[in-house]
Amino acid sequence: DTAVSQTPKYLVTQMGNDKSIKCEQNLGHDTMYWYKQDSKKFLKIMFSYNNKELIINETVPNRFSPKSPDKAHLNLHINSLELGDSAVYFCASSQGFRDWGETQYFGPGTRLLVL
Amino acid sequence: EDKVVQSPLSLVVHEGDTVTLNCSYEVTNFRSLLWYKQEKKAPTFLFMLTSSGIEKKSGRLSSILDKKELFSILNITATQTGDSAVYLCAVEAWAGGTSYGKLTFGQGTILTVHP
C-alpha cells in the first residue's frame, strides 16, 4: 500500500498555464507538507498544513496556492506557470504533535517541466 | 536563517570501503536531525537523532549527533553498490512555538560506490 501518493508523476506544460498536483496520505497523519527540489537537488519547504490549517508558508510566489480539503489530502495549485517552476515537487506527511522530533514520509514526487 | 551544510558534496568509493558523511547546522529552536537516502525518487527515512552522543544503528549504517558542536555524522561500513544515492541531512526546528516540524535540508552528499 502506498503511504504517500502524488498525481501526476510527470507534468509537462506550457508557460502561462495553470496546473494542479494532488497528494494523499493513508498514514493517518495530521501534518502534510509540500517541498520543491530544484535541479541542484536542494529540497526546500514550501507549505505545511496541520489538520487542514496552514502552519508553514515559506517565501513562495502567491501563484502557488495549497488547498487541504481534509487532513489526508493536500493539493498544490500553480497559476501562470513560469520556466523557473520546473522542478520536482514532493509531498510529505508526519504524525503531528509529539514531544520529540517528527519523521516525515515523502511521496514519489511530481516532475514538472514548464516549456 | 536556519542553515544545514553537508560535506563532502560528492564521494566516490569502491565496494567494501567505509565512508563518513558530515552534516553541520545552525538552527534556532533545534528539535531533531534526520538523515534520508534519496535514490531516483522520494527521500526515504534512515535515522532521527534528538539526543547528543547516542548512536543510532541500522545494519551497516550508523549515525551520531553532537548538539554541543552542532553536527552529525553518518557512517556506512562495507559499502555496496546499492548504497549509491544522495544522502540528505535535515534539521527540524520548532516552528513558531508549536510542534510543527519545519525541516531545513542540506544540499546532500552524492555517494557513488563502484564494484
Side-chain angles (χ1 to χ4, degrees):
Chain A
D1 283 343
T2 305
V4 183
S5 59
Q6 293 178 229
T7 53
K9 286 195 169 58
Y10 299 96
L11 190 50
V12 181
T13 188
Q14 301 282 344
M15 270 177 60
N17 283 350
D18 302 339
K19 290 291 175 190
S20 290
I21 308 171
K22 294 186 176 181
C23 178
E24 177 180 359
Q25 53 94 5
N26 62 7
L27 295 165
H29 287 167
D30 288 335
T31 309
M32 295 183 73
Y33 310 80
W34 276 111
Y35 287 87
K36 180 181 179 182
Q37 188 172 43
D38 60 25
S39 55
K40 293 182 182 175
K41 298 291 188 184
F42 226 132
L43 257 174
K44 199 153 185 203
I45 190 157
M46 300 172 69
F47 301 104
S48 163
Y49 268 73
N50 180 270
N51 269 321
K52 304 193 295 175
E53 184 185 344
L54 181 65
I55 299 301
I56 296 172
N57 184 356
E58 291 296 288
T59 309
V60 174
N62 55 17
R63 298 182 294 104
F64 289 79
S65 52
K67 282 189 174 51
S68 182
D70 55 63
K71 74 173 193 178
H73 295 85
L74 181 61
N75 304 323
L76 183 65
H77 188 76
I78 316 170
N79 287 328
S80 304
L81 278 155
E82 299 178 358
L83 294 176
D85 297 333
S86 297
V88 181
Y89 292 83
F90 285 100
C91 176
S93 74
S94 67
Q95 196 160 332
F97 291 101
R98 284 208 310 232
D99 290 333
W100 59 96
E102 294 288 330
T103 301
Q104 293 184 18
Y105 295 90
F106 284 78
T110 295
R111 188 172 294 274
L112 171 65
L113 179 60
V114 182
L115 302 174
Chain B
E1 190 178 322
D2 297 342
K3 195 173 164 185
V4 179
V5 177
Q6 291 184 244
S7 63
L9 291 181
S10 67
L11 195 50
V12 180
V13 299
H14 287 94
E15 272 193 318
D17 288 349
T18 293
V19 297
T20 298
L21 310 183
N22 303 295
C23 175
S24 64
Y25 61 91
E26 293 172 27
V27 169
T28 305
N29 298 323
F30 174 90
R31 190 178 185 207
S32 66
L33 184 143
L34 298 97
W35 284 97
Y36 285 86
K37 178 182 180 183
Q38 185 174 24
E39 295 174 88
K40 289 185 181 169
K41 291 191 177 177
T44 51
F45 172 75
L46 293 174
F47 297 112
M48 181 173 70
L49 302 141
T50 54
S51 302
S52 265
I54 297 174
E55 187 183 38
K56 291 273 181 106
K57 201 168 167 62
S58 174
R60 296 176 294 102
L61 276 68
S62 64
S63 183
I64 198 159
L65 172 67
D66 187 327
K67 282 168 78 172
K68 187 178 171 190
E69 300 298 329
L70 308 182
F71 77 90
S72 173
I73 59 171
L74 175 68
N75 272 325
I76 310 175
T77 58
T79 51
Q80 301 171 357
T81 54
D83 295 327
S84 296
V86 178
Y87 289 84
L88 296 167
C89 172
V91 176
E92 186 194 12
W94 292 85
T98 70
S99 59
Y100 308 110
K102 178 188 166 186
L103 284 186
T104 301
F105 280 85
Q107 71 274 54
T109 294
I110 303 171
L111 175 64
T112 306
V113 182
H114 288 309

